[in-house]
Amino acid sequence: MADHQEATITLPTAPTSVTAARRHVTDTLRAWGLPDGADAMDVLRLIVSELATNVVQHTFGRSPGFTVDLRLEEAERLRLGVTDSHPGRPRRQSAAAQQDHGRGLVVIRTLTAESGGTVHVAPMPDGGKTIWVEIPWLPLPAG
């Protein structure tokens, strides 16, 4: 395996793009050797679904598209980034247990922390941002 691998897709900000983003992540991770049964596969699919859904629901037409980046460096750390051009930074919302919305970032941060990773937001020169999730790369089958 190469020291650095990268896969990127840019999608329109539309509800159908959430499925396309999840499929891109799944197909890329499979190609890089992560089996479908691995916990990381499920975690990363859920994270990209949450991030893509946030773009679709919260950019209010100010980001016509978004980009999903996957980067594997030295077969040790996997980075998943979702970039949009909306200038607003994500904010945690208080979410009661019975609410259907408002917990996406909490879910992302929790899943990432449980996987031994980190989440951070990087501003983009155009005023947008990338939300990066970084986790250890463990391409082992679920146990």
Side-chain angles (χ1 to χ4, degrees):
M1 180 176 287
D3 287 345
H4 177 83
Q5 295 194 60
E6 189 168 340
T8 302
I9 189 170
T10 299
L11 300 163
T13 302
T16 56
S17 293
V18 175
T19 301
R22 190 172 44 250
R23 187 177 317 113
H24 169 71
V25 167
T26 300
D27 292 347
T28 300
L29 295 176
R30 278 184 192 143
W32 291 350
L34 190 66
D36 281 325
D39 291 340
M41 181 70 85
D42 293 334
V43 166
L44 291 163
R45 280 194 285 233
L46 181 54
I47 288 172
V48 77
S49 293
E50 289 289 339
L51 290 172
T53 298
N54 284 350
V55 172
V56 170
Q57 291 182 344
H58 300 294
T59 60
F60 308 108
R62 293 182 67 186
S63 183
F66 65 97
T67 301
V68 177
D69 287 300
L70 286 164
R71 298 178 185 174
L72 178 59
E73 296 183 8
E74 300 183 18
E76 293 179 3
R77 302 289 288 177
L78 179 75
R79 296 181 75 201
L80 165 67
V82 174
T83 303
D84 67 67
S85 57
H86 187 278
R89 292 180 57 97
R91 291 178 294 183
R92 283 190 198 182
Q93 299 175 359
S94 62
Q98 61 271 35
Q99 280 183 307
D100 290 334
H101 301 288
R103 295 186 301 250
L105 285 177
V106 172
V107 168
I108 292 165
R109 289 184 190 284
T110 300
L111 288 170
T112 302
E114 288 174 354
S115 298
T118 59
V119 177
H120 73 275
V121 180
M124 300 301 293
D126 68 356
K129 76 264 180 205
T130 302
I131 300 177
W132 286 106
V133 171
E134 185 174 328
I135 65 168
W137 176 249
L138 301 170
L140 303 172

